[in-house]
Amino acid sequence: MLSSLYFLFMNNIMRIEDLKKNYGNVQAVDGISFSIEEGICFGLLGPNGAGKTTTIEMMEGILPPSSGQVYFKEKKIDHHFKQKVGIQFQNTALPEFITVKETLELFRALYPDPRSLDEVIEICSLSDIIDRDNRKLSGGQKQRMLLGLAIIPHPEIIFLDEPTTGLDPQARRNFWELIKRIKAEKTTVLLTTHYMEEAEILCDQIAIIDHGKLLEIDTPEKLLENHFDGALVKIPHADRDDLKLEGGIIKGDYIEISTRNLDRTMKELLQTQLNLEGLSIKKPNLEDLFLKLTGTTLRA
Ligand SMILES: Nc1ncnc2c1ncn2[C@@H]1O[C@H](COP(=O)(O)OP(=O)(O)O)[C@@H](O)[C@H]1O
Ligand SMILES: [Mg+2]
């Protein structure tokens, strides 16, 4: 009762209902439902081919679903919807032979009330490349510029489809800062990624999808809390199958122990006479969760 009341009063900016898309025999999206609260960064996480782009493009109103519904503020999306959103496509060809500034101006001319050039430059840190030819941009610079284009119409929600794929670690971190700035402006962000670290850092809510289906949805903290005990202890070169350790699983040539009581586990381990050389203790992350849910790694 309480939870259904909460649902009623929650400020959902978008909601999808049993969304499906098939390409011939390929069921790219297979009945996904979720809602996105206003102002958050929502992450759609899944490996290549999971159905992220197909889902996001149906939510953008670009791709017609085979069935199911997409709602923006509880109204079915229509052709006005595209004026209210910012879209950064997974692959975008930029106009050639013009500069970043000229490109921004070109896009600004398409909207009735565009964000000022200075503001876009400021938010997306574009001043150092503003006069550069589009063809001379590095991967990270191109993504910054594409984000600039996406925020021009003062969007209420912005869709970013794998904006950091292929960027080097430094460029990815720089991009995360921009996403945080956009979030601070109260713009809702829908981000797809196959980097779990990125999702963990940026996202308030995460939907994990695979084979077109929603596997889990929650905050990063809750997802980990629900699936793992406190810590993961890993002991390499310990393939003794006579060992009985609470929470221990033998995985090839190492043992992994999931434990809420590290103290007890360590004492137990010391009694086994195992060679503990190379033992590691870590907090499980979303990559571990994905492995647990699907048996494969996110970047496989
Ligand atoms: N236009 C298309 N025609 C046929 N199959 C497609 C098309 N677009 C995507 N698919 C297939 O749908 C599935 C989901 O793809 P996609 O949504 O692009 O996944 P992701 O973005 O998570 O990598 C994949 O199996 C992909 O090959
Ligand atoms: Mg994709």
Side-chain angles (χ1 to χ4, degrees), residues 189-218:
V189 178
L190 172 52
L191 170 81
T192 80
T193 181
H194 58 220
Y195 298 113
M196 32 74 237
E197 181 198 8
E198 179 164 298
E200 220 163 331
I201 289 172
L202 293 176
C203 299
D204 304 291
Q205 190 91 18
I206 290 175
I208 299 181
I209 66 168
D210 196 20
H211 301 297
K213 285 191 194 305
L214 182 66
L215 300 181
E216 292 278 334
I217 181 167
D218 219 320

PDB file of all heavy atoms in Angstrom, residues 189-218:
ATOM      1  N   VAL A 189      19.367  12.840 -16.596  1.00  0.00           N
ATOM      2  CA  VAL A 189      20.296  12.227 -17.548  1.00  0.00           C
ATOM      3  C   VAL A 189      19.989  10.745 -17.670  1.00  0.00           C
ATOM      4  O   VAL A 189      19.850  10.046 -16.665  1.00  0.00           O
ATOM      5  CB  VAL A 189      21.768  12.398 -17.077  1.00  0.00           C
ATOM      6  CG1 VAL A 189      22.729  11.713 -18.056  1.00  0.00           C
ATOM      7  CG2 VAL A 189      22.127  13.867 -16.915  1.00  0.00           C
ATOM      8  N   LEU A 190      19.851  10.280 -18.901  1.00  0.00           N
ATOM      9  CA  LEU A 190      19.773   8.844 -19.147  1.00  0.00           C
ATOM     10  C   LEU A 190      21.029   8.459 -19.909  1.00  0.00           C
ATOM     11  O   LEU A 190      21.307   8.959 -20.993  1.00  0.00           O
ATOM     12  CB  LEU A 190      18.524   8.485 -19.969  1.00  0.00           C
ATOM     13  CG  LEU A 190      18.419   7.031 -20.450  1.00  0.00           C
ATOM     14  CD1 LEU A 190      18.604   6.045 -19.320  1.00  0.00           C
ATOM     15  CD2 LEU A 190      17.083   6.779 -21.108  1.00  0.00           C
ATOM     16  N   LEU A 191      21.801   7.590 -19.281  1.00  0.00           N
ATOM     17  CA  LEU A 191      23.127   7.265 -19.801  1.00  0.00           C
ATOM     18  C   LEU A 191      23.211   5.772 -20.055  1.00  0.00           C
ATOM     19  O   LEU A 191      22.818   4.984 -19.196  1.00  0.00           O
ATOM     20  CB  LEU A 191      24.127   7.669 -18.711  1.00  0.00           C
ATOM     21  CG  LEU A 191      25.576   7.262 -18.825  1.00  0.00           C
ATOM     22  CD1 LEU A 191      26.293   8.227 -19.755  1.00  0.00           C
ATOM     23  CD2 LEU A 191      26.235   7.295 -17.457  1.00  0.00           C
ATOM     24  N   THR A 192      23.703   5.381 -21.211  1.00  0.00           N
ATOM     25  CA  THR A 192      23.999   3.957 -21.370  1.00  0.00           C
ATOM     26  C   THR A 192      25.506   3.783 -21.327  1.00  0.00           C
ATOM     27  O   THR A 192      26.265   4.656 -21.752  1.00  0.00           O
ATOM     28  CB  THR A 192      23.483   3.360 -22.708  1.00  0.00           C
ATOM     29  OG1 THR A 192      24.399   3.695 -23.743  1.00  0.00           O
ATOM     30  CG2 THR A 192      22.096   3.841 -23.062  1.00  0.00           C
ATOM     31  N   THR A 193      25.910   2.680 -20.782  1.00  0.00           N
ATOM     32  CA  THR A 193      27.346   2.430 -20.697  1.00  0.00           C
ATOM     33  C   THR A 193      27.596   0.943 -20.506  1.00  0.00           C
ATOM     34  O   THR A 193      26.717   0.214 -20.069  1.00  0.00           O
ATOM     35  CB  THR A 193      27.984   3.234 -19.533  1.00  0.00           C
ATOM     36  OG1 THR A 193      29.383   2.982 -19.500  1.00  0.00           O
ATOM     37  CG2 THR A 193      27.396   2.866 -18.185  1.00  0.00           C
ATOM     38  N   HIS A 194      28.774   0.497 -20.889  1.00  0.00           N
ATOM     39  CA  HIS A 194      29.147  -0.839 -20.458  1.00  0.00           C
ATOM     40  C   HIS A 194      30.324  -0.789 -19.491  1.00  0.00           C
ATOM     41  O   HIS A 194      30.954  -1.803 -19.213  1.00  0.00           O
ATOM     42  CB  HIS A 194      29.367  -1.812 -21.639  1.00  0.00           C
ATOM     43  CG  HIS A 194      30.400  -1.372 -22.619  1.00  0.00           C
ATOM     44  ND1 HIS A 194      30.231  -1.533 -23.966  1.00  0.00           N
ATOM     45  CD2 HIS A 194      31.589  -0.785 -22.462  1.00  0.00           C
ATOM     46  CE1 HIS A 194      31.301  -1.065 -24.593  1.00  0.00           C
ATOM     47  NE2 HIS A 194      32.127  -0.608 -23.701  1.00  0.00           N
ATOM     48  N   TYR A 195      30.609   0.414 -19.001  1.00  0.00           N
ATOM     49  CA  TYR A 195      31.617   0.546 -17.943  1.00  0.00           C
ATOM     50  C   TYR A 195      30.923   0.622 -16.593  1.00  0.00           C
ATOM     51  O   TYR A 195      30.280   1.618 -16.274  1.00  0.00           O
ATOM     52  CB  TYR A 195      32.438   1.811 -18.123  1.00  0.00           C
ATOM     53  CG  TYR A 195      33.222   1.876 -19.407  1.00  0.00           C
ATOM     54  CD1 TYR A 195      32.912   2.795 -20.395  1.00  0.00           C
ATOM     55  CD2 TYR A 195      34.313   1.017 -19.630  1.00  0.00           C
ATOM     56  CE1 TYR A 195      33.645   2.871 -21.573  1.00  0.00           C
ATOM     57  CE2 TYR A 195      35.052   1.087 -20.803  1.00  0.00           C
ATOM     58  CZ  TYR A 195      34.707   2.015 -21.767  1.00  0.00           C
ATOM     59  OH  TYR A 195      35.426   2.093 -22.925  1.00  0.00           O
ATOM     60  N   MET A 196      31.048  -0.447 -15.821  1.00  0.00           N
ATOM     61  CA  MET A 196      30.341  -0.468 -14.539  1.00  0.00           C
ATOM     62  C   MET A 196      30.861   0.577 -13.576  1.00  0.00           C
ATOM     63  O   MET A 196      30.129   1.122 -12.779  1.00  0.00           O
ATOM     64  CB  MET A 196      30.328  -1.839 -13.890  1.00  0.00           C
ATOM     65  CG  MET A 196      31.487  -2.728 -14.105  1.00  0.00           C
ATOM     66  SD  MET A 196      32.928  -2.286 -13.215  1.00  0.00           S
ATOM     67  CE  MET A 196      34.171  -2.066 -14.370  1.00  0.00           C
ATOM     68  N   GLU A 197      32.144   0.878 -13.698  1.00  0.00           N
ATOM     69  CA  GLU A 197      32.743   1.887 -12.813  1.00  0.00           C
ATOM     70  C   GLU A 197      32.062   3.243 -13.051  1.00  0.00           C
ATOM     71  O   GLU A 197      31.726   3.975 -12.115  1.00  0.00           O
ATOM     72  CB  GLU A 197      34.241   1.975 -13.142  1.00  0.00           C
ATOM     73  CG  GLU A 197      35.011   2.957 -12.290  1.00  0.00           C
ATOM     74  CD  GLU A 197      36.353   3.312 -12.931  1.00  0.00           C
ATOM     75  OE1 GLU A 197      36.610   2.926 -14.095  1.00  0.00           O
ATOM     76  OE2 GLU A 197      37.131   4.004 -12.252  1.00  0.00           O
ATOM     77  N   GLU A 198      31.839   3.523 -14.323  1.00  0.00           N
ATOM     78  CA  GLU A 198      31.182   4.768 -14.703  1.00  0.00           C
ATOM     79  C   GLU A 198      29.764   4.834 -14.116  1.00  0.00           C
ATOM     80  O   GLU A 198      29.351   5.842 -13.547  1.00  0.00           O
ATOM     81  CB  GLU A 198      31.123   4.804 -16.231  1.00  0.00           C
ATOM     82  CG  GLU A 198      30.465   5.991 -16.828  1.00  0.00           C
ATOM     83  CD  GLU A 198      30.840   6.083 -18.310  1.00  0.00           C
ATOM     84  OE1 GLU A 198      32.038   6.232 -18.594  1.00  0.00           O
ATOM     85  OE2 GLU A 198      29.948   5.976 -19.157  1.00  0.00           O
ATOM     86  N   ALA A 199      29.045   3.731 -14.261  1.00  0.00           N
ATOM     87  CA  ALA A 199      27.671   3.686 -13.748  1.00  0.00           C
ATOM     88  C   ALA A 199      27.669   3.867 -12.233  1.00  0.00           C
ATOM     89  O   ALA A 199      26.836   4.582 -11.672  1.00  0.00           O
ATOM     90  CB  ALA A 199      27.023   2.367 -14.125  1.00  0.00           C
ATOM     91  N   GLU A 200      28.623   3.235 -11.589  1.00  0.00           N
ATOM     92  CA  GLU A 200      28.687   3.297 -10.131  1.00  0.00           C
ATOM     93  C   GLU A 200      28.956   4.728  -9.670  1.00  0.00           C
ATOM     94  O   GLU A 200      28.414   5.181  -8.676  1.00  0.00           O
ATOM     95  CB  GLU A 200      29.803   2.353  -9.639  1.00  0.00           C
ATOM     96  CG  GLU A 200      29.438   1.600  -8.400  1.00  0.00           C
ATOM     97  CD  GLU A 200      30.335   0.398  -8.150  1.00  0.00           C
ATOM     98  OE1 GLU A 200      30.864  -0.204  -9.114  1.00  0.00           O
ATOM     99  OE2 GLU A 200      30.512   0.053  -6.973  1.00  0.00           O
ATOM    100  N   ILE A 201      29.804   5.435 -10.392  1.00  0.00           N
ATOM    101  CA  ILE A 201      30.177   6.794  -9.998  1.00  0.00           C
ATOM    102  C   ILE A 201      29.078   7.806 -10.323  1.00  0.00           C
ATOM    103  O   ILE A 201      28.774   8.683  -9.529  1.00  0.00           O
ATOM    104  CB  ILE A 201      31.508   7.197 -10.673  1.00  0.00           C
ATOM    105  CG1 ILE A 201      32.644   6.407 -10.022  1.00  0.00           C
ATOM    106  CG2 ILE A 201      31.756   8.688 -10.588  1.00  0.00           C
ATOM    107  CD1 ILE A 201      33.971   6.559 -10.695  1.00  0.00           C
ATOM    108  N   LEU A 202      28.454   7.664 -11.508  1.00  0.00           N
ATOM    109  CA  LEU A 202      27.545   8.716 -11.969  1.00  0.00           C
ATOM    110  C   LEU A 202      26.080   8.483 -11.652  1.00  0.00           C
ATOM    111  O   LEU A 202      25.313   9.423 -11.525  1.00  0.00           O
ATOM    112  CB  LEU A 202      27.675   8.884 -13.483  1.00  0.00           C
ATOM    113  CG  LEU A 202      28.985   9.421 -14.022  1.00  0.00           C
ATOM    114  CD1 LEU A 202      28.936   9.414 -15.544  1.00  0.00           C
ATOM    115  CD2 LEU A 202      29.249  10.833 -13.511  1.00  0.00           C
ATOM    116  N   CYS A 203      25.674   7.207 -11.567  1.00  0.00           N
ATOM    117  CA  CYS A 203      24.236   6.948 -11.606  1.00  0.00           C
ATOM    118  C   CYS A 203      23.593   6.818 -10.235  1.00  0.00           C
ATOM    119  O   CYS A 203      24.143   6.194  -9.327  1.00  0.00           O
ATOM    120  CB  CYS A 203      23.960   5.688 -12.424  1.00  0.00           C
ATOM    121  SG  CYS A 203      24.519   5.843 -14.120  1.00  0.00           S
ATOM    122  N   ASP A 204      22.407   7.400 -10.117  1.00  0.00           N
ATOM    123  CA  ASP A 204      21.622   7.278  -8.886  1.00  0.00           C
ATOM    124  C   ASP A 204      20.804   6.002  -8.931  1.00  0.00           C
ATOM    125  O   ASP A 204      20.453   5.438  -7.908  1.00  0.00           O
ATOM    126  CB  ASP A 204      20.662   8.469  -8.774  1.00  0.00           C
ATOM    127  CG  ASP A 204      21.417   9.776  -8.827  1.00  0.00           C
ATOM    128  OD1 ASP A 204      22.133  10.072  -7.872  1.00  0.00           O
ATOM    129  OD2 ASP A 204      21.314  10.485  -9.839  1.00  0.00           O
ATOM    130  N   GLN A 205      20.464   5.597 -10.128  1.00  0.00           N
ATOM    131  CA  GLN A 205      19.615   4.424 -10.319  1.00  0.00           C
ATOM    132  C   GLN A 205      20.187   3.674 -11.522  1.00  0.00           C
ATOM    133  O   GLN A 205      20.592   4.294 -12.503  1.00  0.00           O
ATOM    134  CB  GLN A 205      18.193   4.914 -10.627  1.00  0.00           C
ATOM    135  CG  GLN A 205      17.132   3.869 -10.635  1.00  0.00           C
ATOM    136  CD  GLN A 205      16.488   3.711  -9.265  1.00  0.00           C
ATOM    137  OE1 GLN A 205      16.620   4.604  -8.439  1.00  0.00           O
ATOM    138  NE2 GLN A 205      15.830   2.608  -9.016  1.00  0.00           N
ATOM    139  N   ILE A 206      20.200   2.357 -11.423  1.00  0.00           N
ATOM    140  CA  ILE A 206      20.783   1.573 -12.512  1.00  0.00           C
ATOM    141  C   ILE A 206      19.834   0.458 -12.925  1.00  0.00           C
ATOM    142  O   ILE A 206      19.306  -0.269 -12.076  1.00  0.00           O
ATOM    143  CB  ILE A 206      22.129   0.951 -12.068  1.00  0.00           C
ATOM    144  CG1 ILE A 206      23.185   2.039 -11.914  1.00  0.00           C
ATOM    145  CG2 ILE A 206      22.615  -0.097 -13.081  1.00  0.00           C
ATOM    146  CD1 ILE A 206      24.497   1.539 -11.373  1.00  0.00           C
ATOM    147  N   ALA A 207      19.632   0.343 -14.236  1.00  0.00           N
ATOM    148  CA  ALA A 207      18.898  -0.801 -14.767  1.00  0.00           C
ATOM    149  C   ALA A 207      19.906  -1.667 -15.509  1.00  0.00           C
ATOM    150  O   ALA A 207      20.612  -1.178 -16.388  1.00  0.00           O
ATOM    151  CB  ALA A 207      17.808  -0.325 -15.724  1.00  0.00           C
ATOM    152  N   ILE A 208      19.999  -2.923 -15.113  1.00  0.00           N
ATOM    153  CA  ILE A 208      20.916  -3.827 -15.807  1.00  0.00           C
ATOM    154  C   ILE A 208      20.112  -4.633 -16.812  1.00  0.00           C
ATOM    155  O   ILE A 208      19.123  -5.283 -16.449  1.00  0.00           O
ATOM    156  CB  ILE A 208      21.623  -4.766 -14.813  1.00  0.00           C
ATOM    157  CG1 ILE A 208      22.449  -3.945 -13.823  1.00  0.00           C
ATOM    158  CG2 ILE A 208      22.518  -5.758 -15.552  1.00  0.00           C
ATOM    159  CD1 ILE A 208      23.207  -4.770 -12.805  1.00  0.00           C
ATOM    160  N   ILE A 209      20.503  -4.558 -18.073  1.00  0.00           N
ATOM    161  CA  ILE A 209      19.776  -5.332 -19.082  1.00  0.00           C
ATOM    162  C   ILE A 209      20.723  -6.276 -19.817  1.00  0.00           C
ATOM    163  O   ILE A 209      21.915  -6.032 -19.934  1.00  0.00           O
ATOM    164  CB  ILE A 209      18.992  -4.443 -20.089  1.00  0.00           C
ATOM    165  CG1 ILE A 209      19.929  -3.603 -20.953  1.00  0.00           C
ATOM    166  CG2 ILE A 209      18.008  -3.551 -19.390  1.00  0.00           C
ATOM    167  CD1 ILE A 209      19.199  -2.956 -22.131  1.00  0.00           C
ATOM    168  N   ASP A 210      20.158  -7.370 -20.278  1.00  0.00           N
ATOM    169  CA  ASP A 210      20.900  -8.329 -21.087  1.00  0.00           C
ATOM    170  C   ASP A 210      19.889  -9.079 -21.944  1.00  0.00           C
ATOM    171  O   ASP A 210      18.782  -9.364 -21.483  1.00  0.00           O
ATOM    172  CB  ASP A 210      21.685  -9.295 -20.177  1.00  0.00           C
ATOM    173  CG  ASP A 210      22.752 -10.046 -20.963  1.00  0.00           C
ATOM    174  OD1 ASP A 210      23.137  -9.581 -22.052  1.00  0.00           O
ATOM    175  OD2 ASP A 210      23.214 -11.103 -20.487  1.00  0.00           O
ATOM    176  N   HIS A 211      20.257  -9.364 -23.164  1.00  0.00           N
ATOM    177  CA  HIS A 211      19.363 -10.052 -24.097  1.00  0.00           C
ATOM    178  C   HIS A 211      17.970  -9.396 -24.124  1.00  0.00           C
ATOM    179  O   HIS A 211      16.958 -10.089 -24.135  1.00  0.00           O
ATOM    180  CB  HIS A 211      19.232 -11.538 -23.730  1.00  0.00           C
ATOM    181  CG  HIS A 211      20.546 -12.260 -23.736  1.00  0.00           C
ATOM    182  ND1 HIS A 211      21.314 -12.398 -24.874  1.00  0.00           N
ATOM    183  CD2 HIS A 211      21.238 -12.857 -22.743  1.00  0.00           C
ATOM    184  CE1 HIS A 211      22.420 -13.059 -24.574  1.00  0.00           C
ATOM    185  NE2 HIS A 211      22.408 -13.344 -23.296  1.00  0.00           N
ATOM    186  N   GLY A 212      17.942  -8.074 -24.092  1.00  0.00           N
ATOM    187  CA  GLY A 212      16.683  -7.353 -24.227  1.00  0.00           C
ATOM    188  C   GLY A 212      15.773  -7.397 -23.023  1.00  0.00           C
ATOM    189  O   GLY A 212      14.633  -6.928 -23.078  1.00  0.00           O
ATOM    190  N   LYS A 213      16.256  -7.963 -21.924  1.00  0.00           N
ATOM    191  CA  LYS A 213      15.412  -8.055 -20.732  1.00  0.00           C
ATOM    192  C   LYS A 213      16.041  -7.304 -19.559  1.00  0.00           C
ATOM    193  O   LYS A 213      17.257  -7.216 -19.446  1.00  0.00           O
ATOM    194  CB  LYS A 213      15.228  -9.518 -20.323  1.00  0.00           C
ATOM    195  CG  LYS A 213      14.282 -10.296 -21.208  1.00  0.00           C
ATOM    196  CD  LYS A 213      13.981 -11.636 -20.530  1.00  0.00           C
ATOM    197  CE  LYS A 213      13.335 -12.661 -21.419  1.00  0.00           C
ATOM    198  NZ  LYS A 213      12.120 -12.292 -22.103  1.00  0.00           N
ATOM    199  N   LEU A 214      15.159  -6.792 -18.706  1.00  0.00           N
ATOM    200  CA  LEU A 214      15.626  -6.106 -17.509  1.00  0.00           C
ATOM    201  C   LEU A 214      15.949  -7.152 -16.442  1.00  0.00           C
ATOM    202  O   LEU A 214      15.088  -7.936 -16.048  1.00  0.00           O
ATOM    203  CB  LEU A 214      14.509  -5.180 -17.009  1.00  0.00           C
ATOM    204  CG  LEU A 214      14.790  -4.327 -15.785  1.00  0.00           C
ATOM    205  CD1 LEU A 214      15.870  -3.304 -16.077  1.00  0.00           C
ATOM    206  CD2 LEU A 214      13.523  -3.617 -15.340  1.00  0.00           C
ATOM    207  N   LEU A 215      17.192  -7.155 -15.983  1.00  0.00           N
ATOM    208  CA  LEU A 215      17.576  -8.143 -14.966  1.00  0.00           C
ATOM    209  C   LEU A 215      17.387  -7.581 -13.555  1.00  0.00           C
ATOM    210  O   LEU A 215      16.913  -8.266 -12.667  1.00  0.00           O
ATOM    211  CB  LEU A 215      19.044  -8.555 -15.133  1.00  0.00           C
ATOM    212  CG  LEU A 215      19.441  -9.185 -16.472  1.00  0.00           C
ATOM    213  CD1 LEU A 215      20.920  -9.557 -16.449  1.00  0.00           C
ATOM    214  CD2 LEU A 215      18.596 -10.412 -16.766  1.00  0.00           C
ATOM    215  N   GLU A 216      17.781  -6.337 -13.375  1.00  0.00           N
ATOM    216  CA  GLU A 216      17.729  -5.723 -12.045  1.00  0.00           C
ATOM    217  C   GLU A 216      17.578  -4.223 -12.204  1.00  0.00           C
ATOM    218  O   GLU A 216      18.051  -3.657 -13.185  1.00  0.00           O
ATOM    219  CB  GLU A 216      19.054  -5.959 -11.299  1.00  0.00           C
ATOM    220  CG  GLU A 216      19.335  -7.383 -10.910  1.00  0.00           C
ATOM    221  CD  GLU A 216      18.630  -7.800  -9.629  1.00  0.00           C
ATOM    222  OE1 GLU A 216      18.344  -6.923  -8.790  1.00  0.00           O
ATOM    223  OE2 GLU A 216      18.370  -9.011  -9.483  1.00  0.00           O
ATOM    224  N   ILE A 217      16.944  -3.602 -11.214  1.00  0.00           N
ATOM    225  CA  ILE A 217      16.906  -2.135 -11.213  1.00  0.00           C
ATOM    226  C   ILE A 217      16.908  -1.647  -9.774  1.00  0.00           C
ATOM    227  O   ILE A 217      16.148  -2.141  -8.952  1.00  0.00           O
ATOM    228  CB  ILE A 217      15.683  -1.597 -12.007  1.00  0.00           C
ATOM    229  CG1 ILE A 217      15.689  -0.068 -12.020  1.00  0.00           C
ATOM    230  CG2 ILE A 217      14.366  -2.117 -11.458  1.00  0.00           C
ATOM    231  CD1 ILE A 217      14.732   0.527 -13.025  1.00  0.00           C
ATOM    232  N   ASP A 218      17.816  -0.750  -9.469  1.00  0.00           N
ATOM    233  CA  ASP A 218      17.906  -0.208  -8.110  1.00  0.00           C
ATOM    234  C   ASP A 218      19.037   0.824  -8.049  1.00  0.00           C
ATOM    235  O   ASP A 218      19.691   1.084  -9.048  1.00  0.00           O
ATOM    236  CB  ASP A 218      18.182  -1.338  -7.105  1.00  0.00           C
ATOM    237  CG  ASP A 218      17.395  -1.138  -5.812  1.00  0.00           C
ATOM    238  OD1 ASP A 218      17.293   0.022  -5.366  1.00  0.00           O
ATOM    239  OD2 ASP A 218      16.902  -2.123  -5.240  1.00  0.00           O
TER     240      ASP A 218
END
